[in-house]
């Protein structure tokens, strides 16, 4: 009897192994294709979103183009690794009802693949036309488009998508307001003071302390969700650790870099404007990442630029170009949604495919 049971168990294991191998081979091409188009999508993000984020710093000659590429490479990697999980969970599972795909994992995989394809194509077109579009728009629109084609309107979590729509409007408004307040305060108490150079260099370590401390606190807070030890330590560890490290960096800057900057830096209003635009945009983006809201860095950057520009009067803005950018945001979402719905449906509803059954 034991020999029979062992033989049956071995045969069952062999069947399961063959089935798993066949299943993996069936979807293996999707993995390869997703890697390729994921790389193309990342290139599109670098050419658009990252370029938008560093445009003000490079144009003000605060950093060179090569320096911006190096900084972006390091910070993009750290941001994705340390704070990207919350936004990723929203993108992959909260905008559509994934339970409707429990018995059809291949359909969900193919839909996500076509989302990458459509988003990469739209980003390439936007880059060719030099439009500062939102990569968040493209991937959200792609996923919504494929799910509409696959399962209909009931497959979309419209409340979650609605929150994202609101954030697309709220993020540039909040960033613009924050940038305007930052710049007005800086201009009032630093740039127009009797000794703007000295005040700027003296207060810069304080800005480092606040900005880096806030970022590190959020990193530790997010890490606590996956690390039981950090979670157990709680805020008593996160707050002192985050702001303690930022305090150390601020002190190092004050004693070692400030004397060098006093000799080399020539303060310019333009550089101060661009720095405050970036500060306001990064502040909103980090808070949104902390809350798991996939906001658009492009819209935050544009909002910050508009907010600072309006302080000098409406003559500082190009309304036609701003309108072109806004229409590009809306058009990107609608275009990628329709294109991906068509690409997905072309294969999914083909007569020979039978819905991948």
């Amino acid at each position: 009897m034991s020999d029979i049971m062992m033989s049956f168990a071995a045969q069952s294991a062999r069947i399961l192994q063959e089935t798993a191998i066949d299943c993996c081979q069936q979807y293996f091409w999707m993995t390869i294709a997703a890697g390729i188009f994921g790389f193309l999508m990342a290139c599109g993000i670098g050419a658009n979103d990252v370029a938008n984020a560093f445009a003000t710093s490079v144009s003000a000659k605060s950093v060179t183009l090569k320096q911006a590429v190096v900084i972006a490479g390091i910070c993009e990697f750290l941001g994705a690794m340390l704070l990207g999980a919350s936004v990723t969970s929203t993108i992959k599972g909260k905008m559509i009802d994934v339970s409707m795909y429990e018995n059809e994992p291949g359909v969900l995989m193919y839909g996500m693949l076509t989302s990458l394809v459509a988003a990469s194509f739209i980003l390439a077109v936007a880059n060719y036309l030099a439009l500062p579009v939102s990569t968040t728009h493209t991937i959200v629109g792609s996923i919504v488009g494929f799910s509409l084609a696959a399962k209909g309107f009931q497959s979309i979590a419209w409340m979650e998508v609605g929150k994202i729509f609101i954030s697309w409007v709220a993020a540039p408004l909040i960033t613009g307001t924050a940038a305007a307040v930052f710049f007005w305060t800086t201009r009032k108490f630093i740039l127009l003071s009797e000794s703007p150079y000295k005040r700027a260099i003296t207060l810069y370590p304080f800005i480092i302390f606040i900005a880096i401390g806030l970022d590190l606190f959020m990193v530790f807070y997010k890490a606590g969700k996956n690390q039981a030890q950090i979670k157990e330590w709680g805020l008593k560890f996160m707050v002192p650790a985050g702001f303690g490290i930022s305090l150390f960096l601020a002190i190092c800057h004050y004693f070692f870099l400030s004397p060098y900057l006093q000799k080399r830096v020539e303060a310019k209003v333009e550089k101060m404007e661009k720095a405050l635009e970036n500060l306001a945009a990064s502040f909103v983006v980090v808070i949104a990442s902390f809350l798991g809201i996939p906001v658009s860095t492009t819209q935050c950057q544009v909002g910050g630029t508009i907010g600072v520009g309006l302080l000098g009067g409406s003559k500082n803005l190009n309304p036609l170009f701003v309108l072109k950018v806004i229409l590009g945001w809306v058009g990107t979402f609608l275009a990628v949604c329709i294109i991906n719905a068509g690409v997905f449906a072309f294969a999914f509803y083909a007569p020979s495919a039978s819905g991948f059954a």
Side-chain angles (χ1 to χ4, degrees):
M1 177 64 71
S2 61
D3 292 340
I4 296 176
M5 293 296 293
M6 290 294 293
S7 176
F8 176 77
Q11 185 176 6
S12 299
R14 180 178 57 81
I15 294 174
L16 288 174
Q17 185 179 15
E18 291 177 354
T19 303
I21 292 174
D22 291 340
C23 180
C24 291
Q25 290 176 344
Q26 178 182 357
Y27 299 127
F28 186 67
W29 71 272
M30 291 190 191
T31 305
I32 300 298
I36 295 173
F37 283 100
F39 177 79
L40 295 176
M41 180 72 176
C43 291
I45 292 174
N48 204 296
D49 250 13
V50 178
N52 295 333
F54 277 89
T56 53
S57 299
V58 174
S59 65
K61 297 183 180 180
S62 298
V63 295
T64 65
L65 184 59
K66 291 183 179 179
Q67 290 172 339
V69 171
V70 173
I71 295 171
I74 296 173
C75 294
E76 284 284 311
F77 172 76
L78 291 176
M81 181 178 67
L82 299 175
L83 286 175
S86 299
V87 177
T88 301
S89 64
T90 300
I91 294 291
K92 73 177 182 180
K94 293 184 179 179
M95 290 188 306
I96 61 175
D97 186 1
V98 293
S99 64
M100 299 182 69
Y101 300 92
E102 285 184 356
N103 298 323
E104 300 175 300
V107 175
L108 182 60
M109 289 181 65
Y110 181 71
M112 292 297 182
L113 173 60
T114 59
S115 296
L116 275 176
V117 175
S120 301
F121 172 75
I122 287 295
L123 274 182
V125 173
N127 291 334
Y128 177 78
L129 297 175
L131 282 175
V133 300
S134 167
T135 53
T136 306
H137 275 152
T138 59
I139 198 64
V140 169
S142 293
I143 294 175
V144 170
F146 106 76
S147 196
L148 284 174
K151 300 295 181 179
F153 282 90
Q154 69 274 13
S155 67
I156 308 298
W158 291 110
M159 289 297 293
E160 290 295 329
V161 175
K163 292 178 183 178
I164 296 173
F165 289 158
I166 293 173
S167 74
W168 290 340
V169 177
L173 290 177
I174 294 173
T175 306
T177 303
V181 171
F182 290 163
F183 182 66
W184 182 87
T185 304
T186 303
R187 184 171 61 180
K188 178 72 173 178
F189 298 103
I190 296 179
L191 297 179
L192 299 181
S193 66
E194 295 181 356
S195 54
Y197 299 106
K198 186 176 181 180
R199 279 198 180 183
I201 293 175
T202 302
L203 291 176
Y204 194 69
F206 176 75
I207 297 176
I208 292 177
F209 171 71
I210 296 297
I212 297 181
L214 181 62
D215 286 349
L216 289 177
F217 166 71
M218 292 181 178
V219 169
F220 285 129
Y221 185 87
K222 285 300 180 182
K225 293 187 175 182
N226 300 320
Q227 298 291 333
Q229 185 62 53
I230 296 178
K231 185 177 183 180
E232 183 180 348
W233 291 339
L235 295 177
K236 294 180 180 179
F237 164 79
M238 298 175 191
V239 175
F243 286 94
I245 295 174
S246 67
L247 178 61
F248 172 75
L249 294 175
I251 292 173
C252 290
H253 181 278
Y254 182 80
F255 285 104
F256 296 104
L257 289 179
S258 289
Y260 171 79
L261 291 176
Q262 282 180 322
K263 297 178 181 178
R264 296 294 302 271
V265 172
E266 293 182 0
K268 294 182 179 180
V269 175
E270 181 189 14
K271 288 190 176 184
M272 184 63 71
E273 289 178 356
K274 304 308 180 184
L276 294 172
E277 290 167 15
N278 286 335
L279 178 61
S282 61
F283 176 78
V284 174
V285 171
V286 169
I287 294 292
S289 298
F290 176 72
L291 297 175
I293 303 173
V295 299
S296 166
T297 54
T298 299
Q299 292 181 345
C300 290
Q301 197 69 40
V302 171
T305 304
I306 292 175
V308 171
L310 284 176
L311 281 179
S314 59
K315 63 181 183 299
N316 291 329
L317 295 180
N318 183 345
L320 292 180
F321 183 76
V322 173
L323 179 61
K324 177 183 176 182
V325 170
I326 294 175
L327 291 177
W329 294 344
V330 178
T332 297
F333 179 83
L334 295 177
V336 79
C337 183
I338 295 171
I339 289 173
N340 194 38
V343 171
F344 176 85
F346 181 78
F348 186 70
Y349 294 109
S352 60
S354 299
F356 295 154

